[in-house]
Amino acid sequence: MTATAVLFMALTGAQPAMAHSVLVSSDPAKDSSLASAPAAVTLVFNEPLDRGFTELAVLGPDGTSHWEGGKPVITGEKLSAPLRALGSTGVYTVKYRVVSADGHPVSGSVPFTLTAAGPGTAAAPKVLDEAAAADDSVPVWPWIAGSALVALAGAFVARRIAKP
């Protein structure tokens, strides 16, 4: 009887594993050496990716210059982005952050080496346009109005409960 109880508790207490996305392959391959620059980078994961909050950057040998040539695109389990024509020789690093199908963020990097210099120049640094940032931000008033409505509803319910 005791063995049955222990077995039952072990089986019912087991929780299903929540698997996160795992990078399966990349193009260019991790730690590869290339004589000519690729036109794009592609990362392949073990499961389809969530389309929200995806980030992909390709940093140059100086560690700060950006070489991605457009926004990342997710197609099932693939994440890709075009590249600008690469410049100086050295190690380029593809940095990524994706959201797994289970909702958890996963990040990592894939370095590759360019052995022959290309004609490209890094993307211009992004300048924050305060007017554009203000237009893209969420206004505060809906949050204040929503909070006031919740407070009023709570007061109404409290009064109804308090009446004999």
Side-chain angles (χ1 to χ4, degrees), residues 62-149:
D62 63 0
T64 60
S65 58
H66 283 260
W67 296 87
E68 60 273 13
K71 292 187 178 193
V73 175
I74 294 175
T75 308
E77 67 280 346
K78 292 182 182 180
L79 170 64
S80 62
L83 286 180
R84 301 170 60 81
L86 299 184
S88 63
T89 60
V91 177
Y92 288 77
T93 305
V94 179
K95 292 188 164 256
Y96 63 89
R97 182 177 169 94
V98 298
V99 178
S100 295
D102 67 0
H104 289 90
V106 175
S107 59
S109 62
V110 177
F112 67 93
T113 302
L114 184 64
T115 59
T121 57
K126 296 177 182 174
V127 177
L128 179 60
D129 180 4
E130 291 182 26
D135 290 343
D136 290 341
S137 64
V138 176
V140 175
W141 70 265
W143 293 101
I144 295 171
S147 298
L149 286 173

